[in-house]
Amino acid sequence: MSSTRGKFNSRIGFILAAAGSAVGLGNIWGFPTQAAGNGGAAFVLMYLVLAFCLAYPAFMAELIIGRHGQANAVESLRKISTTAMQKRFAFIVGFGGILCAALLMSFYSIVAGWMLAFTAEPITTAVGANAASDWLTSQSTSRNIIFTLVFTVLTVYIISRGVENGIERWSKRLMPALVALLVSLTVYVLTLDGATDGLKAYLIPDISRLFEPDLIVSALGQAFFSLSLGTSVIIIYGSYVARNENLVSLSASVTLIDVFIAFLAGLLIIPAMYVAAAQGVEIFSADGSLKSGDTLVLTVLPALFDGMGSIGVFVGFAFFSLMSIASLTSSISMLEAPVSYTVERFNIERNKATIVIGSLIFATSCLIIFNFSTLFGFVIALTTQYGQPIIGMFCCIFVGWVWHRSSLLEELKAGNEQIEHQLFWKIWPWYTKLVCPTAIAIVFIHSL
Ligand code: PHE
């Protein structure tokens, strides 16, 4: 089977695909919302520390498991296991990650569907179709089903095309578009009245809040979600990386891009909130806390765009296109996790596997849509608060405790001959063995 496996054709192709997976609603929606609700700059500072000190080593662990295994997550974890018990455990962790990715996609595609609907809204407004605009921007089962379906079909289409023609090609097209849109919007918002107050809130930390346990828990969860950890996605992307690539610098590039885009998104959204406030949109309640945490992006920003007059139509369209693109490069990675497993395990054609799994995920999304008040929050908590940290922690345990050190070194040496004598090799194995699992466990237990 391995000779027919897909493979990223270029270093930049992999970096953009992995960064595409990492950069998504988590960066452009999650990060600014969490920063705004958790003390602004203090959260940003803690996030930066945790992303580089914990999420980056964990990302590296998942990537190297995949590169070594050259197979789906279950097989890759099995290859580094020796005893029967370890192999069983490998199945639980690998399959758990795949399930987590599929479940993530079931709620992610609902939210991404909202982004598509909000992208269409400026167009219906511009042509005066007000009833359509209302439908697009209000919660309804029909709107949610239709746009979730459209988004799922787009994802299925890209994944059915495979690694080079699907994931790599589309990531190379979509990621530069995303950065260009984000930078232009940020520059524009920073010229508006009120933006400076937003900048201050975002960039000047209140050090006294830095060590608040809730802030740390949120920052770590956010970092794990943002780097797509604990879902077997990075393992599978790692398995498509050529053996002569230097994984240390590859992981560092992806982490840097991910953090940079989250930071940039904060630079857009938080000043945009203050601009909206200056224009009379209520964003804070009487006690000074943020009014609509989760709906921030869907209420504050459209209000801001409306206030801009006719240019607001274009800005709104650009912003929500950006959100849709970012969601798409993430959802393709979520779908690739179960698809790659099914193709390799059951020897099924990629096209067929993609359609079957895409349909199952869409059915789950419908279940969530029909039971929105009970299931939506539940599935998000199950996957992001429990699934991702636990599975991410187990991947570190695999690298630190199960994988033979000499074999691990050999894998790292492919693509980086000198690694044995570098600081990375002196720190990272111990770090992954002890610090990462302990820190994740502490934060996880606290979050319970
Ligand atoms: N990292 C993506 C984001 O920030 C979400 C994601 C999580 C993608 C897990 C794949 C796997 O939106």
Side-chain angles (χ1 to χ4, degrees):
M1 207 55 217
S2 61
S3 59
T4 60
R5 290 189 91 241
K7 176 165 136 325
F8 289 116
N9 273 327
S10 60
R11 187 179 168 81
I12 187 72
F14 167 77
I15 292 178
L16 290 183
S21 168
V23 174
L25 294 171
N27 303 59
I28 305 177
W29 180 330
F31 177 77
T33 309
Q34 295 242 25
N38 278 300
F43 179 87
V44 178
L45 197 59
M46 182 49 80
Y47 178 81
L48 292 178
V49 171
L50 293 179
F52 288 113
C53 297
L54 280 180
Y56 165 68
F59 184 93
M60 183 65 208
E62 294 194 17
L63 195 69
I64 196 166
I65 291 174
R67 218 269 301 262
H68 177 74
Q70 294 289 305
N72 63 77
V74 172
E75 258 329 290
S76 294
L77 283 163
R78 279 197 167 167
K79 279 192 188 156
I80 51 176
S81 315
T82 37
T83 66
M85 237 238 328
Q86 287 172 354
K87 287 198 192 288
R88 225 170 295 139
F89 191 48
F91 175 79
I92 296 173
V93 174
F95 197 72
I98 290 168
L99 264 185
C100 189
L103 264 182
L104 264 166
M105 184 172 155
S106 68
F107 83 77
Y108 204 84
S109 50
I110 300 175
V111 182
W114 298 344
M115 301 304 131
L116 287 180
F118 274 74
T119 308
E121 185 270 339
I123 303 171
T124 51
T125 303
V127 299
N130 292 343
S133 298
D134 280 350
W135 178 74
L136 287 169
T137 52
S138 348
Q139 277 290 2
S140 71
T141 305
S142 61
R143 181 204 66 175
N144 287 347
I145 298 268
I146 290 172
F147 281 94
T148 303
L149 180 64
V150 173
F151 185 79
T152 309
V153 169
L154 285 175
T155 309
V156 164
Y157 168 74
I158 296 180
I159 285 303
S160 68
R161 312 267 302 139
V163 180
E164 300 92 324
N165 291 327
I167 301 175
E168 184 167 354
R169 174 180 295 176
W170 281 92
S171 303
K172 273 179 163 169
R173 287 177 184 166
L174 297 176
M175 287 300 287
L178 182 131
V179 175
L181 269 175
L182 194 54
V183 172
S184 354
L185 273 173
T186 307
V187 170
Y188 174 68
V189 166
L190 290 181
T191 62
L192 301 177
D193 279 349
T196 325
D197 289 339
L199 268 187
K200 280 191 199 137
Y202 186 52
L203 297 178
I204 304 175
D206 173 359
I207 302 289
S208 67
R209 294 199 61 180
L210 200 56
F211 294 103
E212 279 178 12
D214 284 346
L215 184 147
I216 299 179
V217 171
S218 308
L220 186 69
Q222 179 59 32
F224 262 62
F225 180 74
S226 193
L227 273 173
S228 309
L229 298 174
T231 54
S232 81
V233 160
I234 300 306
I235 299 185
I236 189 67
Y237 272 27
S239 78
Y240 300 140
V241 172
R243 292 203 69 93
N244 58 358
E245 290 291 357
N246 178 345
L247 296 186
V248 179
S249 62
L250 224 46
S251 304
S253 314
V254 176
T255 309
L256 276 173
I257 295 178
D258 185 52
V259 168
F260 171 72
I261 295 207
F263 185 76
L264 200 61
L267 219 47
L268 165 67
I269 307 257
I270 299 197
M273 282 165 44
Y274 283 78
V275 172
Q279 292 179 358
V281 181
E282 277 190 30
I283 59 166
F284 296 107
S285 24
D287 64 355
S289 64
L290 199 66
K291 224 173 176 181
S292 52
D294 289 344
T295 51
L296 181 75
V297 171
L298 293 182
T299 50
V300 171
L301 293 176
L304 171 76
F305 304 144
D306 279 350
M308 288 176 181
S310 50
I311 193 183
V313 173
F314 296 101
V315 181
F317 178 77
F319 177 78
F320 285 107
S321 311
L322 174 112
M323 298 289 266
S324 307
I325 293 173
S327 314
L328 194 56
T329 53
S330 296
S331 66
I332 55 181
S333 69
M334 294 174 196
L335 185 56
E336 180 63 14
V339 166
S340 60
Y341 175 72
T342 316
V343 168
E344 289 172 10
R345 169 75 178 75
F346 301 105
N347 230 334
I348 298 179
E349 227 182 280
R350 173 173 269 271
N351 249 332
K352 225 182 269 166
T354 314
I355 292 174
V356 171
I357 293 172
S359 310
L360 284 174
I361 293 177
F362 178 65
T364 315
S365 305
C366 290
L367 201 69
I368 298 176
I369 292 172
F370 286 118
N371 301 281
F372 199 81
S373 55
T374 35
L375 285 186
F376 186 66
F378 172 74
V379 175
I380 294 182
L382 185 69
T383 49
T384 62
Q385 282 175 19
Y386 301 92
Q388 287 193 274
I390 295 179
I391 292 163
M393 180 177 77
F394 283 137
C395 287
C396 291
I397 291 177
F398 261 98
V399 168
W401 298 87
V402 176
W403 200 340
H404 222 275
R405 238 175 111 90
S406 55
S407 158
L408 175 61
L409 177 61
E410 204 179 302
E411 187 58 48
L412 270 173
K413 272 180 151 177
N416 188 353
E417 266 302 317
Q418 299 307 318
I419 190 103
E420 206 175 344
H421 313 291
Q422 290 170 354
L423 192 64
F424 183 87
W425 178 247
K426 300 203 169 66
I427 298 176
W428 178 73
W430 290 104
Y431 209 82
T432 320
K433 187 171 184 152
L434 300 170
V435 181
C436 286
T438 315
I440 298 168
I442 292 174
V443 172
F444 175 69
I445 290 166
H446 176 89
S447 75
L448 294 179

